[in-house]
Amino acid sequence: MKLSSKPAAILLGLALAFSASAQAALEGVDYEVLKKPIPQQDASKIEVLEFFDYSCIHCQNFDPVLLSYSKTFPKDVYLRSEHVVWMPEMLGLARVAAAVNALGLKYQANPAIYNAIHEQKINLADTATFKSWAAAQKSFDSKKLIAAYDAPASLAAAKKMQRLTETYRIDGTPDVIVGGKYRVIFHTDWEQAQKIIGELVDQVRQERSGKAASKAAR
């Protein structure tokens, strides 16, 4: 006996819905909702905001995964990186991060910076040490990076990173916020974090589409 197409379609729909829900990020397990949302730099897109620390070994391990993943982002998604500043001594590294951000050099400079700090034990938080180290690098334009570091805008950006750290009580790194409201809960591996980020991006996109459709229907 042949089943009618309608019940079969319903069963297929239920199966797909169950599969989607099984794969979706779960609140309290994969992410938490921020009590105080963080304003995005570009509200027209979906922001993946990373709070990191160049001196953090976990950030060093996560950085290549996140940077590689960010190259695959759709046009409506972008990566924003902010260095944490828990104490005044961290402003030096935040200034390095600000200079790197200003020039869009994360992909070229980050591996060298992390290597210098963790493997070579070089104190890049110190201005003279950083400039001496940067001048000898070949994987990026060292002159431009040093000039960006010296620019008043980099110090201002570093101090802004300090205010962000304090205002939103960032107490660990790496810390990733999607859409200004969803904080990723890291598990056992970085690839799992990447998967959660992707699911949260989809969630934010769906929420925004739903709100837009609701407004249009009014």
Side-chain angles (χ1 to χ4, degrees):
M1 182 175 70
K2 184 179 180 180
L3 292 173
S4 68
S5 60
K6 187 173 181 180
I10 292 173
L11 289 173
L12 177 59
L14 289 173
L16 290 174
F18 177 79
S19 176
S21 64
Q23 295 175 0
L26 298 174
E27 183 176 353
V29 176
D30 299 313
Y31 71 92
E32 61 183 16
V33 181
L34 296 183
K35 294 180 179 178
K36 186 175 184 179
I38 301 176
Q40 295 193 162
Q41 286 185 338
D42 184 349
S44 69
K45 297 184 177 182
I46 301 172
E47 180 178 272
V48 175
L49 167 59
E50 170 205 23
F51 284 99
F52 75 104
D53 174 7
Y54 276 132
S55 64
C56 166
I57 186 63
H58 302 300
C59 296
Q60 181 186 24
N61 293 331
F62 180 53
D63 190 68
V65 175
L66 181 60
L67 291 186
S68 177
Y69 181 40
S70 70
K71 292 179 180 179
T72 71
F73 283 174
K75 292 182 179 179
D76 65 337
V77 182
Y78 68 96
L79 175 64
R80 170 186 172 191
S81 297
E82 302 283 0
H83 198 286
V84 294
V85 181
W86 289 313
M87 55 192 75
E89 298 80 42
M90 297 181 76
L91 278 169
L93 288 180
R95 192 170 181 177
V96 172
V100 168
N101 285 347
L103 296 175
L105 286 178
K106 286 195 291 286
Y107 301 92
Q108 297 92 342
N110 273 11
I113 293 171
Y114 278 116
N115 181 269
I117 293 172
H118 293 277
E119 273 63 58
Q120 300 176 53
K121 309 301 179 184
I122 299 174
N123 180 20
L124 298 188
D126 176 75
T127 296
T129 302
F130 167 72
K131 289 183 178 181
S132 175
W133 169 84
Q137 301 309 301
K138 304 298 182 183
S139 59
F140 53 84
D141 191 324
S142 58
K143 290 183 179 180
K144 284 187 177 180
L145 184 61
I146 293 171
Y149 177 91
D150 282 336
S154 288
L155 180 57
K159 290 182 177 179
K160 182 179 179 180
M161 291 176 182
Q162 183 176 28
R163 291 194 296 274
L164 282 169
T165 303
E166 295 170 352
T167 300
Y168 297 100
R169 299 182 180 180
I170 307 302
D171 57 7
T173 54
D175 197 348
V176 175
I177 316 296
V178 178
K181 60 187 287 190
Y182 296 124
R183 169 179 279 133
V184 173
I185 296 176
F186 287 88
H187 294 289
T188 56
D189 61 78
W190 305 122
E191 285 71 22
Q192 175 67 10
Q194 175 181 312
K195 179 175 178 290
I196 295 170
I197 291 170
E199 291 174 351
L200 290 175
V201 165
D202 289 341
Q203 183 168 316
V204 172
R205 187 182 291 113
Q206 290 170 8
E207 289 173 353
R208 292 183 180 180
S209 295
K211 289 180 180 178
S214 178
K215 288 182 179 179
R218 292 176 184 174

